[in-house]
Amino acid sequence: MDVNAAVAALAAIAGVCTGVIAMLAFRWSERDHARPTRSSLHTDAVLPPGVDTVLSVLRSSAVVLDESDSVVKASSAAYALGLVRGGKLAIEPMLNMARDTRRDGEIRQVELDLARRGSGRGEALAVSARVAPLGSRLVLLLVEDLTEARRIEAVRRDFVANVSHELKTPVGALSLLSEAVMDASDDPEAVTRFAGRMQIEATRLTNLVQELIDLSRVQNDDPLDDSEPVSVDELVAEAIDRSRQPASTKQITMVSGGAAGLYVWGSRGQLAAALGNLVENAVNYSPARTRVGIAARRVAAPAGDVIEIAVTDQGIGIPDKDKERVFERFYRVDPARSRATGGTGLGLAIVKHVAASHGGEVTVWSTEGQGSTFTLRLPEAGAARDRRPASSATPDLMTEPLPAPEVLP
Protein backbone atom coordinates (compact mmCIF):
# COMPACT_ATOMS: atom_id res chain seq x y z
CA MET A 1 0.00 0.00 0.00
CA ASP A 2 2.87 2.31 0.93
CA VAL A 3 4.59 1.48 -2.37
CA ASN A 4 1.48 2.40 -4.39
CA ALA A 5 1.18 5.68 -2.53
CA ALA A 6 4.81 6.50 -3.24
CA VAL A 7 4.37 5.76 -6.95
CA ALA A 8 1.27 7.96 -7.09
CA ALA A 9 3.09 10.77 -5.35
CA LEU A 10 5.99 10.56 -7.79
CA ALA A 11 3.60 10.56 -10.75
CA ALA A 12 1.87 13.66 -9.43
CA ILE A 13 5.17 15.44 -8.93
CA ALA A 14 6.29 14.49 -12.49
CA GLY A 15 3.02 15.80 -13.96
CA VAL A 16 3.39 19.11 -12.14
CA CYS A 17 6.99 19.48 -13.38
CA THR A 18 5.94 18.69 -16.93
CA GLY A 19 3.22 21.31 -16.83
CA VAL A 20 5.58 23.92 -15.45
CA ILE A 21 8.17 23.14 -18.14
CA ALA A 22 5.53 23.30 -20.91
CA MET A 23 4.27 26.66 -19.62
CA LEU A 24 7.81 28.07 -19.48
CA ALA A 25 8.54 26.79 -23.00
CA PHE A 26 5.35 28.40 -24.34
CA ARG A 27 6.17 31.74 -22.70
CA TRP A 28 9.75 31.59 -24.05
CA SER A 29 8.46 30.84 -27.56
CA GLU A 30 6.05 33.78 -27.43
CA ARG A 31 8.77 36.15 -26.28
CA ASP A 32 11.22 34.84 -28.93
CA HIS A 33 8.60 35.23 -31.65
CA ALA A 34 7.93 38.82 -30.61
CA ARG A 35 11.64 39.71 -30.60
CA PRO A 36 12.69 41.49 -33.90
CA THR A 37 14.98 39.44 -36.10
CA ARG A 38 17.77 40.61 -38.39
CA SER A 39 15.63 40.03 -41.48
CA SER A 40 12.64 41.85 -40.02
CA LEU A 41 14.77 44.87 -39.31
CA HIS A 42 15.48 45.08 -43.06
CA THR A 43 11.90 44.98 -44.27
CA ASP A 44 8.89 47.18 -44.20
CA ALA A 45 9.30 47.96 -40.49
CA VAL A 46 12.52 49.87 -41.25
CA LEU A 47 11.27 51.75 -44.33
CA PRO A 48 9.18 54.86 -43.71
CA PRO A 49 5.46 54.30 -44.30
CA GLY A 50 4.52 54.28 -47.97
CA VAL A 51 8.08 54.16 -49.31
CA ASP A 52 7.84 50.51 -50.31
CA THR A 53 4.72 51.23 -52.37
CA VAL A 54 6.32 54.25 -54.07
CA LEU A 55 9.48 52.32 -54.96
CA SER A 56 7.44 49.51 -56.50
CA VAL A 57 5.89 51.85 -59.10
CA LEU A 58 9.00 53.81 -60.06
CA ARG A 59 10.43 53.24 -63.54
CA SER A 60 13.95 53.78 -62.23
CA SER A 61 15.92 51.01 -60.53
CA ALA A 62 15.70 51.59 -56.77
CA VAL A 63 18.03 50.46 -53.97
CA VAL A 64 17.76 51.33 -50.26
CA LEU A 65 20.89 50.97 -48.11
CA ASP A 66 21.18 50.97 -44.32
CA GLU A 67 23.97 52.40 -42.18
CA SER A 68 26.13 49.30 -42.77
CA ASP A 69 25.75 49.52 -46.60
CA SER A 70 23.53 46.44 -46.62
CA VAL A 71 20.66 46.38 -49.11
CA VAL A 72 17.37 46.85 -47.29
CA LYS A 73 15.21 47.02 -50.41
CA ALA A 74 15.98 46.62 -54.11
CA SER A 75 13.69 46.55 -57.14
CA SER A 76 13.82 43.76 -59.70
CA ALA A 77 15.23 46.22 -62.24
CA ALA A 78 18.19 46.83 -59.93
CA TYR A 79 18.98 43.12 -59.94
CA ALA A 80 18.54 42.97 -63.72
CA LEU A 81 21.07 45.78 -64.20
CA GLY A 82 23.53 44.01 -61.90
CA LEU A 83 23.49 46.77 -59.27
CA VAL A 84 22.89 44.36 -56.37
CA ARG A 85 24.82 41.14 -55.83
CA GLY A 86 24.90 39.06 -52.68
CA GLY A 87 22.87 41.59 -50.72
CA LYS A 88 25.40 44.36 -51.41
CA LEU A 89 25.61 47.25 -53.85
CA ALA A 90 28.05 46.01 -56.50
CA ILE A 91 28.93 49.35 -58.15
CA GLU A 92 31.78 51.00 -56.25
CA PRO A 93 31.19 54.62 -57.44
CA MET A 94 27.54 54.39 -56.38
CA LEU A 95 28.52 52.92 -53.02
CA ASN A 96 30.93 55.80 -52.42
CA MET A 97 28.19 58.28 -53.32
CA ALA A 98 25.85 56.60 -50.83
CA ARG A 99 28.45 56.84 -48.05
CA ASP A 100 29.09 60.52 -48.78
CA THR A 101 25.36 61.27 -48.76
CA ARG A 102 24.91 59.41 -45.48
CA ARG A 103 27.71 61.48 -43.97
CA ASP A 104 26.62 64.98 -45.04
CA GLY A 105 22.98 64.51 -46.17
CA GLU A 106 23.51 66.08 -49.59
CA ILE A 107 21.81 64.78 -52.74
CA ARG A 108 24.27 63.62 -55.41
CA GLN A 109 23.87 62.68 -59.07
CA VAL A 110 26.31 61.29 -61.63
CA GLU A 111 26.24 59.56 -65.02
CA LEU A 112 28.23 56.34 -65.38
CA ASP A 113 29.00 53.73 -68.03
CA LEU A 114 28.58 50.20 -66.70
CA ALA A 115 29.71 46.94 -68.24
CA ARG A 116 26.76 45.01 -69.64
CA ARG A 117 26.23 41.71 -67.83
CA GLY A 118 26.52 38.56 -69.91
CA SER A 119 27.99 40.38 -72.91
CA GLY A 120 31.45 39.61 -74.21
CA ARG A 121 31.45 42.45 -76.74
CA GLY A 122 32.40 45.18 -74.29
CA GLU A 123 29.08 46.97 -74.66
CA ALA A 124 28.35 49.51 -71.93
CA LEU A 125 25.17 50.61 -70.20
CA ALA A 126 24.80 54.36 -69.77
CA VAL A 127 23.05 55.12 -66.48
CA SER A 128 22.22 58.14 -64.36
CA ALA A 129 22.53 57.53 -60.60
CA ARG A 130 20.93 59.81 -57.98
CA VAL A 131 21.50 59.32 -54.23
CA ALA A 132 19.42 60.99 -51.50
CA PRO A 133 18.97 60.46 -47.73
CA LEU A 134 15.88 58.53 -46.68
CA GLY A 135 15.18 59.31 -43.06
CA SER A 136 18.03 59.39 -40.55
CA ARG A 137 19.52 55.95 -41.20
CA LEU A 138 18.76 54.98 -44.79
CA VAL A 139 20.00 56.10 -48.21
CA LEU A 140 17.95 55.85 -51.41
CA LEU A 141 19.67 55.18 -54.75
CA LEU A 142 17.72 55.69 -58.00
CA VAL A 143 19.33 54.53 -61.25
CA GLU A 144 17.90 55.27 -64.70
CA ASP A 145 19.05 53.45 -67.85
CA LEU A 146 20.02 56.05 -70.47
CA THR A 147 21.40 53.62 -73.05
CA GLU A 148 18.46 53.83 -75.46
CA ALA A 149 18.16 57.59 -75.06
CA ARG A 150 21.83 58.00 -75.93
CA ARG A 151 21.47 55.73 -78.95
CA ILE A 152 18.53 57.77 -80.23
CA GLU A 153 20.46 60.98 -79.64
CA ALA A 154 23.42 59.60 -81.60
CA VAL A 155 21.11 58.64 -84.47
CA ARG A 156 19.62 62.13 -84.42
CA ARG A 157 23.06 63.77 -84.52
CA ASP A 158 24.16 61.54 -87.39
CA PHE A 159 20.95 62.28 -89.24
CA VAL A 160 21.35 66.04 -88.86
CA ALA A 161 25.00 65.84 -89.91
CA ASN A 162 24.15 63.73 -92.97
CA VAL A 163 21.28 65.98 -93.99
CA SER A 164 23.49 69.03 -93.65
CA HIS A 165 26.16 67.41 -95.80
CA GLU A 166 23.70 66.25 -98.44
CA LEU A 167 22.05 69.67 -98.65
CA LYS A 168 25.37 71.47 -98.74
CA THR A 169 26.53 69.68 -101.90
CA PRO A 170 23.77 70.78 -104.33
CA VAL A 171 23.43 74.20 -102.70
CA GLY A 172 27.16 74.79 -103.07
CA ALA A 173 27.06 73.58 -106.67
CA LEU A 174 24.20 75.94 -107.46
CA SER A 175 26.13 78.84 -105.97
CA LEU A 176 29.23 78.10 -108.03
CA LEU A 177 27.24 77.54 -111.23
CA SER A 178 25.36 80.83 -110.77
CA GLU A 179 28.68 82.64 -110.48
CA ALA A 180 29.89 80.84 -113.61
CA VAL A 181 26.77 81.95 -115.50
CA MET A 182 27.37 85.55 -114.47
CA ASP A 183 31.01 85.41 -115.57
CA ALA A 184 30.04 83.82 -118.91
CA SER A 185 27.21 86.19 -119.70
CA ASP A 186 28.78 87.00 -123.06
CA ASP A 187 29.16 83.29 -124.00
CA PRO A 188 25.72 81.81 -124.87
CA GLU A 189 27.06 78.25 -125.16
CA ALA A 190 28.66 78.40 -121.70
CA VAL A 191 25.51 79.89 -120.22
CA THR A 192 23.44 77.07 -121.72
CA ARG A 193 25.86 74.44 -120.40
CA PHE A 194 25.96 75.91 -116.88
CA ALA A 195 22.18 76.38 -116.85
CA GLY A 196 21.77 72.67 -117.67
CA ARG A 197 24.02 71.76 -114.73
CA MET A 198 22.02 74.07 -112.51
CA GLN A 199 18.84 72.25 -113.47
CA ILE A 200 20.45 68.92 -112.57
CA GLU A 201 21.53 70.16 -109.14
CA ALA A 202 18.17 71.81 -108.53
CA THR A 203 16.42 68.53 -109.36
CA ARG A 204 18.74 66.68 -107.02
CA LEU A 205 17.99 69.16 -104.25
CA THR A 206 14.26 68.88 -104.87
CA ASN A 207 14.43 65.08 -104.73
CA LEU A 208 16.37 65.18 -101.48
CA VAL A 209 13.89 67.52 -99.82
CA GLN A 210 10.97 65.43 -101.06
CA GLU A 211 12.46 62.21 -99.72
CA LEU A 212 13.11 63.87 -96.38
CA ILE A 213 9.44 64.85 -96.32
CA ASP A 214 8.42 61.31 -97.28
CA LEU A 215 10.63 59.79 -94.57
CA SER A 216 9.21 62.15 -91.96
CA ARG A 217 5.68 61.35 -93.10
CA VAL A 218 6.03 57.56 -92.91
CA GLN A 219 7.64 57.86 -89.48
CA ASN A 220 4.92 60.09 -88.05
CA ASP A 221 1.85 58.66 -89.76
CA ASP A 222 0.28 55.49 -88.43
CA PRO A 223 -0.62 53.26 -91.41
CA LEU A 224 -3.54 51.85 -89.41
CA ASP A 225 -5.26 55.24 -89.42
CA ASP A 226 -6.11 55.04 -93.12
CA SER A 227 -5.68 51.33 -93.80
CA GLU A 228 -7.60 49.61 -96.56
CA PRO A 229 -7.25 46.59 -98.82
CA VAL A 230 -4.73 47.66 -101.46
CA SER A 231 -4.49 45.91 -104.82
CA VAL A 232 -0.98 44.65 -105.53
CA ASP A 233 -1.68 44.87 -109.27
CA GLU A 234 -2.38 48.59 -108.92
CA LEU A 235 0.75 49.14 -106.82
CA VAL A 236 2.89 47.41 -109.47
CA ALA A 237 1.30 49.39 -112.30
CA GLU A 238 1.83 52.65 -110.45
CA ALA A 239 5.48 51.83 -109.69
CA ILE A 240 6.13 50.95 -113.36
CA ASP A 241 4.47 54.13 -114.54
CA ARG A 242 6.59 56.17 -112.13
CA SER A 243 9.84 54.87 -113.68
CA ARG A 244 8.62 54.66 -117.26
CA GLN A 245 10.48 57.74 -118.51
CA PRO A 246 13.97 56.93 -117.08
CA ALA A 247 13.58 53.31 -118.16
CA SER A 248 12.70 54.41 -121.69
CA THR A 249 15.72 56.72 -121.79
CA LYS A 250 18.04 53.82 -120.90
CA GLN A 251 16.11 51.35 -123.09
CA ILE A 252 15.37 49.18 -120.07
CA THR A 253 12.50 46.73 -120.43
CA MET A 254 10.19 46.49 -117.41
CA VAL A 255 8.27 43.22 -117.04
CA SER A 256 5.48 42.50 -114.55
CA GLY A 257 4.14 39.04 -113.78
CA GLY A 258 3.26 36.56 -111.09
CA ALA A 259 -0.04 36.04 -109.35
CA ALA A 260 -2.90 38.44 -110.04
CA GLY A 261 -5.71 39.64 -107.81
CA LEU A 262 -3.64 39.86 -104.60
CA TYR A 263 -4.39 42.36 -101.86
CA VAL A 264 -2.44 43.65 -98.88
CA TRP A 265 -3.73 45.68 -95.96
CA GLY A 266 -2.29 49.09 -95.21
CA SER A 267 -1.81 52.67 -96.32
CA ARG A 268 -1.97 52.89 -100.09
CA GLY A 269 0.22 55.98 -100.22
CA GLN A 270 3.00 54.48 -98.12
CA LEU A 271 2.95 51.15 -99.94
CA ALA A 272 3.05 52.89 -103.33
CA ALA A 273 6.03 54.97 -102.23
CA ALA A 274 7.90 51.89 -100.97
CA LEU A 275 7.40 49.79 -104.10
CA GLY A 276 8.03 52.82 -106.30
CA ASN A 277 11.40 53.34 -104.61
CA LEU A 278 12.41 49.73 -105.23
CA VAL A 279 11.54 49.91 -108.93
CA GLU A 280 13.17 53.31 -109.32
CA ASN A 281 16.40 52.02 -107.74
CA ALA A 282 16.37 48.99 -110.02
CA VAL A 283 16.12 51.24 -113.09
CA ASN A 284 18.71 53.75 -111.89
CA TYR A 285 21.33 51.11 -111.07
CA SER A 286 20.81 48.96 -114.16
CA PRO A 287 22.88 49.27 -117.34
CA ALA A 288 21.17 50.29 -120.55
CA ARG A 289 19.24 47.68 -122.56
CA THR A 290 18.66 45.33 -119.61
CA ARG A 291 15.51 44.07 -117.87
CA VAL A 292 13.74 44.90 -114.61
CA GLY A 293 11.12 42.44 -113.40
CA ILE A 294 8.36 42.86 -110.82
CA ALA A 295 6.52 39.73 -109.66
CA ALA A 296 4.08 39.00 -106.84
CA ARG A 297 3.03 35.76 -105.20
CA ARG A 298 1.25 34.43 -102.12
CA VAL A 299 3.27 32.44 -99.56
CA ALA A 300 1.78 30.44 -96.71
CA ALA A 301 2.99 31.43 -93.24
CA PRO A 302 2.04 30.28 -89.70
CA ALA A 303 0.50 33.66 -88.83
CA GLY A 304 -1.37 33.96 -92.13
CA ASP A 305 -0.60 34.19 -95.84
CA VAL A 306 2.10 36.66 -96.87
CA ILE A 307 2.33 38.54 -100.15
CA GLU A 308 5.82 38.75 -101.63
CA ILE A 309 6.59 41.42 -104.22
CA ALA A 310 10.01 40.91 -105.78
CA VAL A 311 11.85 43.52 -107.85
CA THR A 312 14.74 42.05 -109.85
CA ASP A 313 17.34 43.90 -111.91
CA GLN A 314 20.43 43.06 -113.93
CA GLY A 315 22.49 45.84 -112.42
CA ILE A 316 25.86 46.18 -110.76
CA GLY A 317 24.90 44.17 -107.66
CA ILE A 318 25.77 44.79 -104.03
CA PRO A 319 28.93 43.54 -102.27
CA ASP A 320 28.35 41.19 -99.32
CA LYS A 321 29.81 43.68 -96.85
CA ASP A 322 27.23 46.29 -97.84
CA LYS A 323 24.07 44.18 -97.87
CA GLU A 324 23.27 44.76 -94.20
CA ARG A 325 23.76 48.52 -94.49
CA VAL A 326 21.93 49.42 -97.68
CA PHE A 327 18.77 50.15 -95.67
CA GLU A 328 20.52 52.73 -93.47
CA ARG A 329 19.73 56.39 -94.06
CA PHE A 330 22.09 58.08 -96.48
CA TYR A 331 24.19 54.93 -96.90
CA ARG A 332 25.23 54.36 -100.51
CA VAL A 333 27.36 51.51 -101.82
CA ASP A 334 28.96 53.71 -104.47
CA PRO A 335 28.65 57.42 -103.58
CA ALA A 336 30.08 58.53 -106.92
CA ARG A 337 27.53 56.49 -108.86
CA SER A 338 24.76 57.72 -106.57
CA ARG A 339 25.65 61.31 -107.41
CA ALA A 340 25.49 60.44 -111.09
CA THR A 341 22.06 58.84 -110.73
CA GLY A 342 20.72 61.46 -108.33
CA GLY A 343 20.39 59.01 -105.45
CA THR A 344 20.00 60.41 -101.93
CA GLY A 345 20.43 57.25 -99.86
CA LEU A 346 16.95 57.61 -98.33
CA GLY A 347 14.85 55.46 -100.67
CA LEU A 348 15.63 52.08 -99.09
CA ALA A 349 15.33 53.55 -95.59
CA ILE A 350 11.78 54.57 -96.47
CA VAL A 351 11.07 51.08 -97.82
CA LYS A 352 12.33 49.43 -94.64
CA HIS A 353 10.25 51.70 -92.39
CA VAL A 354 7.08 51.20 -94.43
CA ALA A 355 7.52 47.42 -94.40
CA ALA A 356 8.07 47.34 -90.63
CA SER A 357 5.12 49.63 -89.88
CA HIS A 358 2.87 47.31 -91.93
CA GLY A 359 4.01 44.19 -90.08
CA GLY A 360 6.28 43.02 -92.89
CA GLU A 361 9.90 43.17 -93.95
CA VAL A 362 12.16 43.83 -96.91
CA THR A 363 15.13 41.62 -97.82
CA VAL A 364 17.81 41.70 -100.49
CA TRP A 365 19.61 39.06 -102.54
CA SER A 366 22.44 40.26 -104.71
CA THR A 367 25.55 39.14 -106.58
CA GLU A 368 28.10 41.60 -107.85
CA GLY A 369 27.97 41.97 -111.61
CA GLN A 370 24.74 39.96 -111.93
CA GLY A 371 22.05 42.02 -110.28
CA SER A 372 19.88 42.24 -107.21
CA THR A 373 16.44 41.16 -106.02
CA PHE A 374 14.63 43.15 -103.35
CA THR A 375 11.64 41.33 -101.85
CA LEU A 376 8.89 43.17 -100.01
CA ARG A 377 6.88 40.84 -97.74
CA LEU A 378 3.53 42.07 -96.42
CA PRO A 379 0.58 40.35 -94.70
CA GLU A 380 -2.27 39.58 -97.04
CA ALA A 381 -5.51 41.46 -96.47
CA GLY A 382 -7.95 39.22 -94.63
CA ALA A 383 -10.92 40.78 -96.39
CA ALA A 384 -9.42 39.80 -99.72
CA ARG A 385 -9.02 36.19 -98.59
CA ASP A 386 -12.65 36.08 -97.52
CA ARG A 387 -13.70 37.62 -100.84
CA ARG A 388 -11.71 35.16 -102.96
CA PRO A 389 -13.77 32.19 -104.30
CA ALA A 390 -12.62 28.81 -103.04
CA SER A 391 -12.35 27.43 -106.58
CA SER A 392 -9.99 30.13 -107.81
CA ALA A 393 -6.40 28.97 -107.77
CA THR A 394 -3.59 31.45 -107.96
CA PRO A 395 -0.49 30.31 -109.87
CA ASP A 396 2.70 30.10 -107.83
CA LEU A 397 5.79 31.75 -109.24
CA MET A 398 7.95 28.80 -108.28
CA THR A 399 5.78 25.94 -109.52
CA GLU A 400 3.60 27.22 -112.37
CA PRO A 401 4.43 29.21 -115.49
CA LEU A 402 3.95 32.94 -115.29
CA PRO A 403 1.15 34.57 -117.27
CA ALA A 404 2.08 36.55 -120.31
CA PRO A 405 4.12 39.49 -119.02
CA GLU A 406 3.41 43.09 -119.70
CA VAL A 407 6.38 44.51 -121.60
CA LEU A 408 6.83 48.24 -121.43
CA PRO A 409 9.29 49.97 -123.73
Side-chain angles (χ1 to χ4, degrees):
M1 188 68 178
D2 293 337
V3 174
N4 292 335
V7 171
L10 290 175
I13 293 172
V16 171
C17 291
T18 301
V20 172
I21 293 172
M23 182 181 67
L24 292 175
F26 176 77
R27 294 294 300 275
W28 181 270
S29 176
E30 287 291 317
R31 188 175 66 176
D32 187 67
H33 183 72
R35 180 185 302 141
T37 62
R38 177 179 178 85
S39 60
S40 66
L41 287 174
H42 290 172
T43 55
D44 297 341
V46 176
L47 295 176
V51 172
D52 192 17
T53 303
V54 173
L55 296 182
S56 65
V57 299
L58 288 177
R59 296 181 59 183
S60 304
S61 303
V63 180
V64 179
L65 304 176
D66 63 11
E67 63 273 11
S68 63
D69 293 333
S70 297
V71 175
V72 177
K73 181 75 176 179
S75 64
S76 58
Y79 286 98
L81 286 178
L83 304 180
V84 178
R85 299 175 190 172
K88 295 288 185 179
L89 186 61
I91 311 301
E92 191 66 24
M94 296 182 186
L95 186 58
N96 293 333
M97 288 174 57
R99 291 169 178 170
D100 294 340
T101 296
R102 186 185 301 110
R103 183 180 62 253
D104 56 25
E106 293 185 4
I107 298 175
R108 289 175 169 82
Q109 184 169 350
V110 68
E111 292 189 1
L112 301 170
D113 291 332
L114 308 179
R116 190 186 296 270
R117 297 182 63 186
S119 174
R121 295 174 293 178
E123 297 179 350
L125 287 172
V127 299
S128 174
R130 185 178 179 87
V131 180
L134 186 64
S136 59
R137 300 168 51 195
L138 305 179
V139 174
L140 172 62
L141 170 67
L142 296 177
V143 180
E144 185 177 357
D145 188 355
L146 303 178
T147 307
E148 183 65 15
R150 284 194 179 180
R151 186 192 68 81
I152 294 175
E153 178 63 20
V155 171
R156 186 193 66 81
R157 287 197 305 268
D158 292 342
F159 180 74
V160 172
N162 287 329
V163 168
S164 301
H165 175 74
E166 294 295 332
L167 289 174
K168 183 179 179 180
T169 302
V171 170
L174 286 172
S175 177
L176 292 175
L177 288 170
S178 64
E179 292 179 5
V181 168
M182 293 177 63
D183 294 338
S185 58
D186 56 346
D187 186 351
E189 293 184 2
V191 170
T192 302
R193 184 171 67 254
F194 292 144
R197 290 293 307 277
M198 291 178 68
Q199 287 183 342
I200 294 174
E201 295 299 333
T203 301
R204 179 183 176 188
L205 182 59
T206 301
N207 292 339
L208 175 58
V209 172
Q210 184 59 51
E211 290 202 344
L212 287 172
I213 294 173
D214 293 341
L215 180 60
S216 176
R217 181 180 295 115
V218 299
Q219 287 180 328
N220 295 329
D221 293 348
D222 187 352
L224 298 180
D225 291 343
D226 56 350
S227 293
E228 59 179 332
V230 180
S231 169
V232 175
D233 296 337
E234 294 178 3
L235 291 178
V236 172
E238 186 174 336
I240 290 176
D241 188 64
R242 170 176 165 178
S243 298
R244 187 187 303 273
Q245 193 276 330
S248 176
T249 301
K250 299 174 66 175
Q251 299 181 9
I252 292 176
T253 302
M254 290 191 291
V255 180
S256 64
L262 301 179
Y263 283 80
V264 293
W265 188 269
S267 169
R268 177 182 177 84
Q270 291 191 18
L271 294 173
L275 185 58
N277 284 344
L278 290 181
V279 176
E280 185 176 11
N281 277 358
V283 172
N284 288 339
Y285 289 93
S286 293
R289 294 179 293 279
T290 56
R291 246 169 60 130
V292 171
I294 307 99
R297 68 170 182 172
R298 180 186 299 107
V299 178
D305 290 352
V306 175
I307 303 301
E308 291 188 350
I309 309 173
V311 179
T312 304
D313 62 59
Q314 297 173 315
I316 59 176
I318 303 172
D320 291 338
K321 64 181 180 67
D322 296 312
K323 289 180 183 177
E324 296 299 324
R325 301 194 60 189
V326 293
F327 296 102
E328 295 179 10
R329 298 171 184 175
F330 296 108
Y331 185 82
R332 288 170 290 195
V333 177
D334 185 353
R337 185 178 180 87
S338 295
R339 283 194 295 269
T341 60
T344 63
L346 288 175
L348 292 180
I350 294 174
V351 175
K352 180 179 180 180
H353 189 88
V354 170
S357 64
H358 282 75
E361 63 174 349
V362 58
T363 58
V364 57
W365 172 93
S366 184
T367 300
E368 287 189 86
Q370 297 185 18
S372 306
T373 297
F374 286 85
T375 303
L376 186 61
R377 294 185 176 91
L378 299 167
E380 184 180 16
R385 289 197 300 270
D386 299 338
R387 187 169 57 244
R388 189 174 62 250
S391 60
S392 63
T394 303
D396 192 295
L397 289 177
M398 301 304 175
T399 59
E400 299 187 25
L402 296 177
E406 174 191 2
V407 179
L408 301 176

